[in-house]
Amino acid sequence: MSACPNWRGQWQDDLLALAGQLVLYAHTPLPAALATPASHAKTFFDGKTFEQWRKHEDHAQAVQMAIIERLNQIIRTRSL
C-alpha cells in the first residue's frame, strides 16, 4: 500500500515532534498540544507572530553572548 513500510511510525513521530514544539514554544499543555490538528500547529509556526518571536529571541541571545564575551575579557585581563 505504501512505499515506506514504516509510514505510520514516521507520521506518529512527526506529530509528537510538532506537539513538543507547541509545548516548548507556545507554552501549550501537552494534552492540548496532542489534540491540536497538525494544520493549526503548522499555521502557528509559519505565521508572522512566531517569526517575530524568533527574531526577538535571536536578538536576546546575541545580547547575552555579547555580555558573556565582555565578562570573559574582563576576567582574562584581571587574571594575567
Side-chain angles (χ1 to χ4, degrees):
M1 180 175 162
S2 174
C4 179
N6 193 22
W7 67 273
R8 285 188 141 196
Q10 184 62 46
W11 179 70
Q12 182 180 12
D13 290 346
D14 292 346
L15 287 177
L16 287 173
L18 194 57
Q21 290 173 348
L22 278 175
V23 170
L24 292 173
Y25 299 120
H27 305 287
T28 304
L30 183 59
L34 291 170
T36 301
S39 61
H40 291 314
K42 288 179 183 178
T43 300
F44 169 76
F45 287 117
D46 291 340
K48 184 177 180 180
T49 303
F50 184 70
E51 182 64 29
Q52 289 174 341
W53 176 84
R54 283 187 55 213
K55 287 180 183 178
H56 177 272
E57 287 298 309
D58 290 344
H59 177 71
Q61 287 180 358
V63 169
Q64 289 173 356
M65 286 305 299
I67 293 169
I68 291 169
E69 288 174 13
R70 179 65 182 135
L71 288 172
N72 280 338
Q73 288 175 347
I74 292 169
I75 291 168
R76 286 185 187 125
T77 57
R78 291 190 181 206
S79 63
L80 293 178

